[in-house]
Amino acid sequence: MTLWLGIPLGLLVLAMILVLSSSIDFRFRCYKHGKNDLLELDVITLFGLIKLHYELPRLVFKGLERGVLGKFKETGTATTGVDTVKEEQFDKERFEHWRENIQLAAKSTRGLKEWFRDTLSHVKISKFDWSTDFSLGDAADTAIASGAVWGLKWSIVGFISQWVKLKHNPRVFVKPVFQDEHCFSMELVCKGKLSVSYAIYALFQLLLRVLRETGGIGQWRKLLKQMRREHRGQSLE
């Protein structure tokens, strides 16, 4: 009897060790060349057993009021097995709604900003490549602008390095194109990971911070229910 109990218990402990020793690996790619746009996000965890791929192949600017329209695609082993393709509208009203949700989450969680910063500090970036080619149509203007673009990009990299760990020096390129026509192309590739063990610990810490805030659990339940309803509504569309 002890043997029959010991075998499943041992397998359970082994499974827990494997899960805790794995990591959440991600790869983000942003590409733009002329009218061709592409946003990609790949997430892999549990040694490749769970894979997710998100893709936004094109963004269309519809004006200040209507915002940006994009076709969103989701695939991977963690989905229902059927590729999900839907259009997403990113307008002023939607961004305002996101801002309200973030404010509600912050009010319902004690020290949410500190928790978020601590969690990001354990994200390890193994690759950060960012290249930009452009022309303003005038050689002199392009040369002057290239210096400003260099400064802006390194300022952004410096800001990012305050939040996450950069394991290797980022590779940043700016290539001015001296031609009479306007052109712009850009590619950003970022790879990194977060250990599953720390992700579980961070979720536990988040739960404690919610419990310490008066009414935190109730507010989070309300927020999550609202987000699920919105997700169902967008899926039906």
Side-chain angles (χ1 to χ4, degrees):
M1 189 68 177
T2 305
L3 180 61
W4 288 108
L5 289 175
I7 291 176
L9 182 60
L11 292 175
L12 179 61
V13 172
L14 178 61
M16 290 179 62
I17 293 174
L18 290 175
V19 169
L20 293 176
S21 62
S22 63
S23 62
I24 303 171
D25 300 274
F26 64 88
R27 176 183 178 272
F28 173 77
R29 179 173 180 249
C30 177
Y31 172 81
K32 180 174 179 60
H33 182 76
K35 295 183 179 181
N36 298 319
D37 307 312
L38 179 63
L39 288 175
E40 285 183 321
L41 175 62
D42 291 287
V43 181
I44 302 175
T45 187
L46 297 182
F47 304 103
L49 293 176
I50 297 179
K51 297 179 181 180
L52 279 171
H53 175 77
Y54 301 95
E55 185 176 312
L56 196 60
R58 191 177 181 187
L59 295 172
V60 180
F61 183 65
K62 294 292 185 177
L64 295 177
E65 291 297 326
R66 297 182 60 189
V68 178
L69 178 67
K71 184 174 287 187
F72 180 80
K73 181 178 180 181
E74 178 184 9
T75 60
T77 59
T79 62
T80 58
V82 180
D83 294 355
T84 302
V85 180
K86 58 184 178 181
E87 288 190 347
E88 295 280 356
Q89 187 81 25
F90 304 97
D91 52 13
K92 181 181 179 182
E93 181 179 349
R94 189 164 188 180
F95 284 112
E96 181 66 22
H97 185 62
W98 287 348
R99 185 183 67 83
E100 292 175 354
N101 287 343
I102 293 173
Q103 288 180 342
L104 178 59
K107 291 179 180 178
S108 309
T109 309
R110 183 168 299 181
L112 180 62
K113 183 177 179 181
E114 290 77 10
W115 172 87
F116 184 70
R117 190 181 186 99
D118 290 341
T119 303
L120 282 183
S121 67
H122 287 79
V123 175
K124 299 177 181 179
I125 302 298
S126 58
K127 180 178 182 179
F128 190 94
D129 294 350
W130 190 5
S131 61
T132 304
D133 300 358
F134 73 97
S135 171
L136 297 180
D138 180 82
D141 292 341
T142 302
I144 295 172
S146 64
V149 174
W150 268 110
L152 176 62
K153 293 177 76 169
W154 278 112
S155 297
I156 294 174
V157 171
F159 176 76
I160 293 174
S161 65
Q162 297 177 7
W163 291 80
V164 299
K165 293 181 180 178
L166 298 175
K167 297 180 66 176
H168 304 287
N169 291 329
R171 300 195 301 173
V172 179
F173 308 96
V174 177
K175 180 182 177 182
V177 180
F178 299 107
Q179 63 181 35
D180 295 335
E181 298 179 356
H182 290 76
C183 69
F184 178 83
S185 64
M186 183 271 291
E187 183 174 17
L188 170 64
V189 178
C190 178
K191 291 183 180 181
K193 66 179 181 179
L194 174 68
S195 68
V196 171
S197 58
Y198 188 83
I200 295 174
Y201 170 78
L203 289 175
F204 179 71
Q205 287 293 317
L206 178 62
L207 178 60
L208 289 179
R209 290 175 179 271
V210 173
L211 290 172
R212 290 171 184 167
E213 192 68 28
T214 304
I217 289 292
Q219 291 294 334
W220 268 97
R221 285 177 179 172
K222 180 181 177 182
L223 178 60
L224 292 175
K225 286 181 180 178
Q226 181 179 335
M227 292 173 64
R228 282 197 294 267
R229 286 197 300 267
E230 293 171 358
H231 181 71
R232 291 196 199 100
Q234 292 165 7
S235 299
L236 292 173
E237 292 175 3

